[in-house]
Amino acid sequence: MNDPTGKINVNWLALWACVYGNSTPDKALRCMGVKLNKTKTDIKARSILNAAQTAEAKQRYQTKNISIRDLAELFNTSYGTMRRALAGVPKFVG
């Protein structure tokens, strides 16, 4: 393919690598030097709560009028992780 500017876009090369090279998009872009925003290790590290954080989240959820989304933002984790941590804990009724 001819590019009028004489340059080939990295995204096109990655697309060709995926289609013709049987590669994943992340792997193709990484091989071409494009840094991805989030890696799986970043996401996994962010969504783990230790026992002390889980106990504090449960205590706050039971004693204060705070939502699961607000707690997840407070502890810097995802909504799903916080929801699983608070499974079976009754909500504050006041």
Side-chain angles (χ1 to χ4, degrees):
M1 295 188 133
N2 292 335
D3 188 15
T5 61
K7 298 178 184 176
I8 296 178
N9 193 345
V10 174
N11 291 335
W12 284 107
L13 288 174
L15 176 64
W16 293 333
C18 293
V19 173
Y20 299 113
N22 195 19
S23 176
T24 63
D26 290 344
K27 185 177 178 183
L29 288 170
R30 216 174 315 121
C31 289
M32 303 206 184
V34 177
K35 184 176 184 247
L36 303 174
N37 290 339
K38 290 184 180 178
T39 61
K40 290 182 181 179
T41 56
D42 293 338
I43 295 169
K44 185 175 181 182
R46 183 175 180 260
S47 61
I48 294 174
L49 289 175
N50 61 27
Q53 288 175 326
T54 303
E56 184 181 350
K58 286 180 181 182
Q59 189 267 338
R60 286 187 184 199
Y61 189 66
Q62 286 179 332
T63 59
K64 297 179 181 173
N65 192 14
I66 189 167
S67 69
I68 295 176
R69 289 198 191 277
D70 292 337
L71 279 172
E73 187 175 319
L74 181 69
F75 287 98
N76 195 25
T77 187
S78 67
Y79 170 79
T81 300
M82 187 58 67
R83 188 175 52 84
R84 284 188 297 276
L86 297 175
V89 178
K91 176 134 176 72
F92 170 78
V93 178

